[in-house]
Amino acid sequence: MKKLIVTVALTGNVPTKKMNPNLPVTADEIAADVRRCRDAGAVLFHVHARDAEQKPTLDVNVYKQNVRRIKELAPEVIVQLSTGARAGKDWEERAKPVRLLPEMGSFTTGSNNLPGIVYENSPAFMEYLAGVYQETGVKPEIEVFETGMINNAVFLEKKGFIAPPLHFDFVLGAPGSMPGTLKNLQFLSESIPAGSTWSVAGIGKAEIPLSAAAIVMGGHVRVGLEDNLYLPDGSPASNPLLVEKIVRIAGEIGREIASPDEARLLLGLNPIYKDRVLSML
Ligand code: ZN
């Protein structure tokens, strides 16, 4: 079986320090968490930005500070910036993190409900954002909350906007969207084009069980406080504790952990783009 890529969704848009004091929100906190998670075996980091009041923001300056600090403390890791809509709905604003030329960005290829909102990604917006990915050469991670989002990604690939191999992340168990069941994970993982890679982001209580399933199935894993604030025993989680748990489970099963460069190969990342983001900071 191929080596396991461990991704960490460090902060997200919804969690607060009140919900879990271990949530990293400042550039220093985020980078320190990246370093600890890297030391524990994680290689890919899904990064959001928070303003001085800890509210979600798409301010590129905050993204820049976060990336600069991460690259200082853990230069070899893969950085993936979020293009999610909770921090703002303007198309150009949402695309700005991709224009900073990180190695990867997130890309939700469809609309769905999330607590309190419609997570809107219209066909026109998807073509626009896909165009930005095409233009910049940044690799999208396709965030799949519902089955149809796979079809939309394949459509964008056929139109030449995004290049294979596609990398999918199945976000399962978010209230309002596809439940975090093994059946759904199996179905989605069998519904993507041959040669694609995939990870699972189980939300809440689904995080650790679906991660364990993905490790056995040959997929990859995303954990982190964006998706889940608790350890299975109900105590507050932290990003490093979640990574340690995944690495331990993988070790018991006999699945080796990918280094950052091994993850780049598995994901088909272009090595010449590895440090391109540095020129933008
Ligand atoms: Zn996110």
Side-chain angles (χ1 to χ4, degrees):
M1 208 178 271
K2 293 198 167 127
K3 289 190 180 178
L4 177 70
I5 301 169
V6 180
T7 298
V8 185
L10 299 147
T11 307
N13 281 327
V14 177
T16 62
K17 277 188 184 287
K18 246 189 198 160
M19 296 176 188
N20 184 323
N22 298 323
L23 186 78
V25 293
T26 66
D28 281 342
E29 289 170 349
I30 289 171
D33 244 20
V34 167
R35 172 87 168 235
R36 285 191 287 265
C37 290
R38 176 208 70 181
D39 290 345
V43 293
L44 172 50
F45 292 88
H46 174 80
V47 176
H48 284 253
R50 299 289 184 97
D51 65 17
E53 278 150 17
Q54 307 192 356
K55 295 214 174 73
T57 178
L58 288 167
D59 184 342
V60 276
N61 289 319
V62 182
Y63 270 109
K64 282 184 183 179
Q65 284 166 9
N66 290 351
V67 175
R68 192 181 297 125
R69 202 71 189 109
I70 290 170
K71 284 288 182 184
E72 279 166 10
L73 292 191
E76 71 280 35
V77 303
I78 304 165
V79 173
Q80 177 192 97
L81 299 183
S82 167
T83 62
R86 277 202 191 255
K89 288 189 171 158
D90 182 79
W91 289 12
E92 185 50 39
E93 291 294 311
R94 285 183 63 187
K96 273 184 182 166
V98 180
R99 295 194 190 282
L100 284 180
L101 310 179
E103 283 188 270
M104 297 182 78
S106 64
F107 187 6
T108 303
T109 49
S111 304
N112 60 295
N113 281 359
L114 287 175
I117 62 160
V118 176
Y119 185 16
E120 191 181 316
N121 296 287
S122 68
F125 172 70
M126 284 191 280
E127 286 211 9
Y128 165 76
L129 189 57
V132 177
Y133 276 108
Q134 182 185 38
E135 188 187 308
T136 55
V138 174
K139 168 128 184 169
E141 174 175 284
I142 313 290
E143 308 295 343
V144 172
F145 291 75
E146 298 284 356
T147 315
M149 295 184 184
I150 295 175
N151 303 351
N152 290 338
V154 171
F155 176 75
L156 291 167
E157 185 202 328
K158 283 201 177 120
K159 287 190 91 174
F161 283 114
I162 50 179
L166 301 184
H167 178 62
F168 293 90
D169 181 48
F170 306 130
V171 187
L172 294 179
S177 290
M178 229 166 150
T181 64
L182 282 176
K183 204 171 175 180
N184 284 338
L185 181 60
Q186 174 99 30
F187 170 64
L188 291 174
S189 67
E190 289 173 355
S191 302
I192 56 177
S196 306
T197 49
W198 64 269
S199 60
V200 69
I203 304 299
K205 283 189 174 146
E207 183 173 77
I208 301 298
L210 288 183
S211 297
I215 293 168
V216 177
M217 291 163 72
H220 303 282
V221 169
R222 169 174 130 173
V223 289
L225 297 181
E226 171 168 354
D227 301 334
N228 168 37
L229 296 167
Y230 302 99
L231 296 171
D233 66 4
S235 60
S238 71
N239 288 314
L241 280 175
L242 291 167
V243 173
E244 283 166 16
K245 186 175 285 295
I246 292 308
V247 169
R248 214 155 46 227
I249 295 169
E252 291 296 329
I253 291 168
R255 182 110 184 254
E256 287 181 84
I257 306 294
S259 69
D261 281 342
E262 287 167 342
R264 286 184 174 92
L265 266 180
L266 288 167
L267 294 166
L269 293 177
N270 191 336
I272 63 167
Y273 292 163
K274 197 164 157 178
D275 286 320
R276 221 168 30 140
V277 68
L278 293 177
S279 66
M280 305 296 289
L281 300 180

